[in-house]
Each structure stands twice: as structure tokens, then as C-alpha cells.
Amino acid sequence: MREDNSSTDLGTVVAAVRARLEPTHPARDALRSTAGAIENAEPELALDDLCHIIRFFGVRITSEEYGILQAVAQRFSMTDLLEDAQLLPFIGL
């Protein structure tokens, strides 16, 4: 596994997203599984989980955060995941 700084990068995005959400937003709970994957050094799983959460809950992300997701996806040859997730409509705060 090539963890390098992918877990740190994903952790930064997850923390920023959670901080923007209202305390009762259901995505906050869902992001716990993403944080768990990061803590267990499973950045590929965390990236997949995060993409699904963004799309399912309609969570907005910044273009910088999307850039981080792209960089992590490239590290793991998972760029098709971002294309399949169709996250572009959720970028912009």
C-alpha cells in the first residue's frame, strides 16, 4: 500500500467538510466511517467513501478540496472513481 501523505490529505478534507456541516446534518455521522478508514491507513477506501458521501448527501466542497481528492486519486490510479462520482456539481462554496 502506498499511503504516503494521502491519509493526512484526506483527513484534512474530512475535517474541513465536517466543520462546515450543521451538527445535525446526517453526513456528519456518515463521515465517521471515512475518518475510521483514514485512521486504519486505508486511504483508497476513505476516498471512495468520501466521494459517495459528497454525492449522496449533496455536500459542498471547495475547489481546493476537490484538487486534494484528485491528487489522492492519481496516487492510487483511481481517477475513474472521481469521474464516476460526478462531483463537479458539488464544488464551490
Side-chain angles (χ1 to χ4, degrees):
M1 180 187 309
R2 297 169 294 152
E3 183 181 349
D4 52 89
N5 60 349
S6 299
S7 290
T8 302
D9 292 345
L10 288 171
T12 299
V13 173
V14 169
V17 169
R18 286 192 86 222
R20 284 194 301 271
L21 295 174
E22 294 292 323
T24 58
H25 196 291
R28 285 181 60 89
D29 288 337
L31 287 167
R32 278 193 239 161
S33 66
T34 307
I38 293 167
E39 289 172 12
N40 290 316
E42 299 179 277
E44 297 104 325
L45 177 61
L47 177 62
D48 183 58
D49 195 36
L50 181 57
C51 288
H52 289 294
I53 291 169
I54 290 168
R55 183 148 176 84
F56 182 81
F57 292 103
V59 174
R60 307 290 294 173
I61 58 174
T62 66
S63 56
E64 181 181 343
E65 291 163 350
Y66 185 74
I68 291 170
L69 298 182
Q70 285 181 310
V72 172
Q74 287 176 339
R75 286 180 207 141
F76 294 104
S77 300
M78 295 175 64
T79 54
D80 57 328
L81 172 69
L82 292 182
E83 293 169 14
D84 293 345
Q86 299 176 354
L87 298 182
L88 294 180
F90 304 100
I91 299 171
L93 291 174

